Amino acid sequence: MQYPVNELFETIQGEGLYTGVPAIFLRLQGCPVGCPWCDTQHTWSKMAENAVDFGQIITKTGPDERYSELSAEAILQRIQSLGFTAKHIVITGGEPCMYDLRPLAEVLEPLGYQLQIETSGTFPILASSSTWVTVSPKVDMPGGYPVLADAMQRADEIKYPIAMEKHISAFDALLAEKPARAGAVICLQPISQRPRATELAIKVCRERNWRLSVQLHKYLAIE
């Protein structure tokens, strides 16, 4: 299994339940969902002409569409050679569930790494039972992909992006049709750092005893 790696870097997780945890981010190329507010639109297309050696990936100075095809074993070697010390690995994108992620778990978990996937819930989740699955459901996006009921049931955490009341209504409709599994953590995340979106998220979290996710990394101006 070869994974199209757009970025590999160490930082602090800025979203969801694991906010504040040192983490290695493995960003994969490719996503057809088409969220209008996406802040990683450079990961959407996977064109053969953008495949490069990993040396060009690690020396990037800004976001672009280049990626490097790496096996799970090669990804581990890069993590070790770069001297990363975090044990929490966030697999994101793009849409990471376009790919079978079980080979990554087979290589990384025996060495003490905890895997977390951040997915839109629009593709089947092929991951180990120990992988922490964060589903950020994307409803009625331009790509036309529906959120899968199986993804909602597999989610350990559901992190829903909002900006207006209509987004809360859409989330309620989704939960009614495709409920979260019992015990799943539910987070609301403002789509932007605008006060209106944040105030709405705080209000609803207080009313429903949900968690707030504020994209801490953007406030800290880190990756």
Side-chain angles (χ1 to χ4, degrees), residues 192-204:
S192 69
Q193 283 68 58
R194 294 176 182 173
R196 179 183 174 187
T198 302
E199 289 165 5
L200 175 61
I202 292 171
K203 172 180 175 291
V204 177

Side-chain angles (χ1 to χ4, degrees), residues 43 59-60 69 72 83-84 139 154 170 175-176 210:
T43 66
T59 56
K60 283 185 180 184
E69 296 276 7
F84 295 159
V139 179
R154 174 60 181 85
L175 290 172
W210 290 346

Side-chain angles (χ1 to χ4, degrees), residues 49-223:
E49 58 265 31
N50 290 323
V52 298
D53 181 82
F54 183 75
Q56 295 186 43
I57 300 302
I58 202 63
T59 56
K60 283 185 180 184
T61 57
D64 62 48
E65 297 181 351
R66 288 177 295 165
Y67 64 92
S68 183
E69 296 276 7
L70 298 177
S71 67
E73 292 81 6
I75 289 170
L76 171 62
Q77 291 171 2
R78 301 305 191 278
I79 289 171
Q80 292 174 331
S81 66
L82 290 165
F84 295 159
T85 58
K87 288 295 187 179
H88 189 77
I89 300 180
V90 181
I91 308 170
T92 186
E95 174 45 73
C97 288
M98 292 173 62
Y99 310 100
D100 185 347
L101 302 174
R102 292 170 294 189
L104 277 169
E106 291 170 3
V107 169
L108 295 167
E109 287 181 347
L111 298 178
Y113 291 99
Q114 165 69 45
L115 303 188
Q116 177 185 2
I117 299 169
E118 294 193 349
T119 175
S120 63
T122 58
F123 284 80
I125 298 170
L126 303 177
S128 71
S129 60
S130 300
T131 297
W132 181 268
V133 176
T134 300
V135 172
S136 183
K138 302 303 191 295
V139 179
D140 295 330
M141 292 296 112
Y145 288 80
V147 175
L148 303 179
D150 286 350
M152 295 291 285
Q153 281 292 304
R154 174 60 181 85
D156 298 291
E157 172 183 41
I158 296 175
K159 184 180 64 182
Y160 193 75
I162 69 163
M164 295 175 281
E165 290 282 357
K166 69 177 183 180
H167 298 133
I168 300 296
S169 299
F171 189 33
D172 285 339
L174 175 66
L175 290 172
E177 180 185 1
K178 300 171 182 178
R181 68 170 180 81
V185 177
I186 296 181
C187 303
L188 293 184
Q189 181 165 289
I191 290 173
S192 69
Q193 283 68 58
R194 294 176 182 173
R196 179 183 174 187
T198 302
E199 289 165 5
L200 175 61
I202 292 171
K203 172 180 175 291
V204 177
C205 285
R206 292 180 64 187
E207 291 172 349
R208 305 192 185 190
N209 201 30
W210 290 346
R211 293 181 66 101
L212 177 69
S213 175
V214 295
Q215 295 187 295
L216 179 66
H217 56 290
K218 292 187 176 179
Y219 287 94
L220 297 177
I222 60 175
E223 277 195 285

